[in-house]
Amino acid sequence: MSNDVRVDLSALDEVIRRLWRLLDDMDKAGTTSKYDTEIPMDAFGQTCYFTESGDLHAAQGEMKTKIEKIIKQLHELIDDFSTKTSHVRDKYNDKEHEIKTSVGGDSGGSTDKALK
């Protein structure tokens, strides 16, 4: 009975590709939250008519900052996971290549040393 574990490198490649797409989407969300969500003060009304307009504008600014921070943290988390997944994939690939080489897998059969 063999206890060998086989890793599907193509599945890891797909995970890495999906993480990169997700990072791209997070970049777009970060840009949108930073530059396309600013609401001008006058959108909340004139302070002489609507005294809470300043409070609303300040609350919107605070929420905008929180959203930007959340998106940044998510981006860092996904980037970290993507990098670690790539490293794991590379190590599995290197080990697989090392094993194939040690048993003559790259030459299509036995090595010269095995024939002597």
Side-chain angles (χ1 to χ4, degrees):
M1 174 184 261
S2 175
N3 289 332
D4 293 339
V5 175
R6 191 128 171 103
V7 175
D8 185 358
L9 295 179
S10 63
L12 278 174
D13 288 336
E14 181 60 26
V15 168
I16 293 165
R17 277 191 295 277
R18 287 181 182 198
L19 287 169
W20 286 343
R21 283 193 301 264
L22 186 56
L23 274 176
D24 186 48
D25 290 345
M26 293 303 296
D27 286 339
K28 292 173 188 171
T31 299
T32 299
S33 71
K34 189 169 188 170
Y35 299 110
D36 296 339
T37 58
E38 184 67 35
I39 300 174
M41 178 66 176
D42 61 353
F44 294 103
Q46 299 297 324
T47 55
C48 60
Y49 299 116
F50 185 53
T51 56
E52 290 84 4
S53 65
D55 294 339
L56 282 173
H57 187 260
Q60 187 272 332
E62 289 173 18
M63 187 56 65
K64 179 182 181 307
T65 301
K66 288 179 183 178
I67 291 170
E68 289 172 11
K69 183 178 176 184
I70 290 168
I71 290 172
K72 182 177 184 261
Q73 289 173 336
L74 281 172
H75 186 281
E76 290 169 355
L77 175 73
I78 294 165
D79 185 47
D80 182 50
F81 187 69
S82 174
T83 301
K84 288 177 180 175
T85 304
S86 293
H87 289 302
V88 167
R89 191 251 181 249
D90 291 343
K91 287 184 181 204
Y92 275 120
N93 189 49
D94 292 346
K95 191 66 168 176
E96 187 175 278
H97 179 71
E98 179 185 314
I99 291 169
K100 282 183 181 179
T101 302
S102 70
V103 295
D106 283 348
S107 64
S110 303
T111 62
D112 289 336
K113 290 180 183 178
L115 295 175
K116 291 183 180 179

